[in-house]
Each structure stands twice: as C-alpha cells, then as structure tokens.
C-alpha cells in the first residue's frame, strides 16, 4: 500500500490532482491535500488528497490518489477503528495504529483535530505552526522520536 502511495507522489507533483470538493453537510469537516515527509536513512514521503470529518472520538478519513482513486478509508467510533483499502479491510482498537499503517509513521490524531480548529495543542515531540491556518495551511514538525517528520495540510476553501 505504501509503495503504491509513494509511486503516485510524482504524478501529484506534476499537477494531475484535482482538489476534492468540500465535505458537504458535515460539521467539523476538512478537505484538501496532505503530505508527510519522514527524514532518515530511507527517506519516505506520502501525499494524497483527503477528506476528514468528526473528532477524535468519532469520525472518518478518506485518502484519495492524484488520479481520483480512493486509497484508503478510515472510520472510527467508541474505541473501534476500521481501515478499508482496495486490497483489504482491517479493524483495530487503535486509530493511531491504523493511521500509522497507512502513512508509515505516527501522526498525533487528537492534536491534529485541535490544530485544525486553531487550538495550540501540546504533543510531545511535535510542534505545529498555525500561523497560516487562515489561509488554509497547517504545518507540523516532529523532532522526537527520530526520524524527524513534517506534516503539511493545504485545506480547500
């Protein structure tokens, strides 16, 4: 799955992606592009269009390839999470674990929801720059644990 996403990254850079439409009819919903760069010996990057809705207790995340194909869909509620891809469907009690399976590195989901609402949330090892959130840009850096990572979101308005 990760290999497919990494192979699709150059196409995204060429501008093939069409921005997703705003997630309609949902409160606390965001859409746009997400990219994740992980530094280290085997530098990794992940990029996709996304639709995110809900909160840390109940919600969903859809990742879409530059060609418009659904790469993955995560849904969660009440301590239960489900990941559906074209190849398989998996369930877990940990949303964080399933999201790490998709992106290749841990992402602080609870903090992400706070950051998207403009709330500075302290998460060990992460620092978020919310200064451009009004313009639809969010950048968060992970300094610890190694390797360092940068998460970027470009929101559609």
């Amino acid at each position: 799955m990760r290999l497919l996403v990494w192979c699709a990254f150059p196409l995204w850079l060429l501008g093939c992606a069409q921005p997703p439409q705003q997630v309609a009819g949902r409160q606390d919903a965001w859409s746009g592009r997400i990219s994740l760069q992980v530094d280290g010996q085997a530098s990794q990057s992940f990029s996709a269009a996304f639709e995110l809705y809900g909160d840390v207790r109940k919600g969903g995340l859809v990742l879409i390839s530059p060609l418009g194909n659904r790469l993955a869909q995560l849904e969660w509620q009440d301590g239960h999470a489900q990941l559906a891809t074209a190849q398989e469907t998996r369930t877990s009690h940990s949303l964080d674990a399933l999201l790490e399976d998709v992106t290749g590195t841990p992402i602080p989901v609870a903090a992400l929801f706070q950051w998207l609402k403009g709330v500075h949330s302290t998460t060990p090892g992460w620092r978020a720059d919310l200064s451009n959130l009004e313009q639809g840009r969010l950048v968060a850096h992970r300094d610890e644990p190694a390797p360092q990572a940068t998460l970027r979101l470009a929101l559609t308005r």
Side-chain angles (χ1 to χ4, degrees):
M1 177 67 190
R2 286 187 216 142
L3 179 61
L4 173 67
V5 173
W6 292 326
C7 290
F9 181 69
L11 293 174
W12 178 78
L13 288 176
L14 292 173
C16 295
Q18 295 294 322
Q21 299 299 313
Q22 194 72 2
V23 182
R26 297 188 192 256
Q27 187 175 1
D28 293 334
W30 302 267
S31 64
R33 291 184 314 272
I34 183 171
S35 69
L36 180 64
Q37 175 70 42
V38 180
D39 300 332
Q41 288 180 343
S43 191
Q44 301 173 355
S45 62
F46 168 86
S47 180
F50 77 94
E51 296 174 353
L52 174 68
Y53 60 90
D55 58 37
V56 75
R57 292 179 306 274
K58 180 180 179 182
L61 171 67
V62 178
L63 298 174
I64 304 161
S65 78
L67 300 176
N69 299 325
R70 187 170 288 197
L71 297 172
Q73 181 167 346
L74 286 148
E75 294 182 337
W76 60 90
Q77 72 178 27
D78 302 327
H80 174 80
Q82 178 175 303
L83 167 65
T85 66
Q87 294 79 25
E88 65 180 328
T89 298
R90 288 185 285 160
T91 60
S92 175
H93 295 291
S94 172
L95 168 61
D96 292 323
L98 288 179
L99 189 55
E100 182 175 349
D101 286 349
V102 172
T103 63
T105 195
I107 295 177
V109 178
L112 179 59
F113 278 106
Q114 293 298 307
W115 296 336
L116 286 167
K117 292 178 182 178
V119 177
H120 288 278
S121 176
T122 304
T123 301
W126 285 85
R127 54 188 163 82
D129 178 1
L130 306 182
S131 62
N132 292 315
L133 194 56
E134 288 283 324
Q135 291 78 37
R137 303 283 189 253
L138 170 69
V139 178
H141 300 278
R142 182 184 70 206
D143 298 317
E144 294 179 1
Q148 293 183 343
T150 302
L151 175 67
R152 288 183 171 83
L153 280 82
L155 304 172
T156 5
R157 293 282 177 208

